[in-house]
Amino acid sequence: MQTEKTETALDGAALHQALAIATAEEREDIMRETVRAQLADILAPTVVEDDSNFLENGLTSLTALELTRNLMTLTDVEIPLVAILEYPTPAQLGHYLAEAYAAVNSGDGATA
C-alpha cells in the first residue's frame, strides 16, 4: 500500500527539475535526501541518518532491491545492486548518485 508521502517521494519529474537547476553540491544534498526518504519509506518507522549503515538499519536483499528500483525510477540512473554495499550510507550513496546523474546528463554518453 502506497501512502501519499510515498507517492510524493516518488515524483521523479519534480526531482529532475530540482536537479537540473542545482549546483553539484546541491545535487549531492538532494540525492542524499532522496536516498534517506526512500530508505525511511522502506524501513518505516526507522529514522535514517546521513551516516547510518543500510545493513545495520535492517536493509535486506529484498529491500535493497526495492531501494535501488525506487531510486532508478526517480533518477533515471542505472544503479547496480552492489552499489548498496559499496556506498552503504545515505551520504555515500547520495554522492555516488549525484556523480552518476551528472555523468548521464552531461551529454557525453558516459554512464556511472
Side-chain angles (χ1 to χ4, degrees), residues 56 78 88:
E56 291 172 4
E78 188 69 30

Side-chain angles (χ1 to χ4, degrees), residues 23-37:
T23 66
E25 185 178 309
E26 291 169 336
R27 199 169 23 251
E28 189 171 329
D29 290 342
I30 292 167
M31 288 297 198
R32 183 186 66 246
E33 289 304 315
T34 301
V35 169
R36 286 183 59 198

Side-chain angles (χ1 to χ4, degrees), residues 9 14 19 24 29 31 33 38 40 45 56 58 74 77 85 90 104 107-108:
L19 291 169
D29 290 342
M31 288 297 198
E33 289 304 315
Q38 291 302 309
E56 291 172 4
L74 284 169
V77 172
L85 297 174
V104 167
D108 64 7

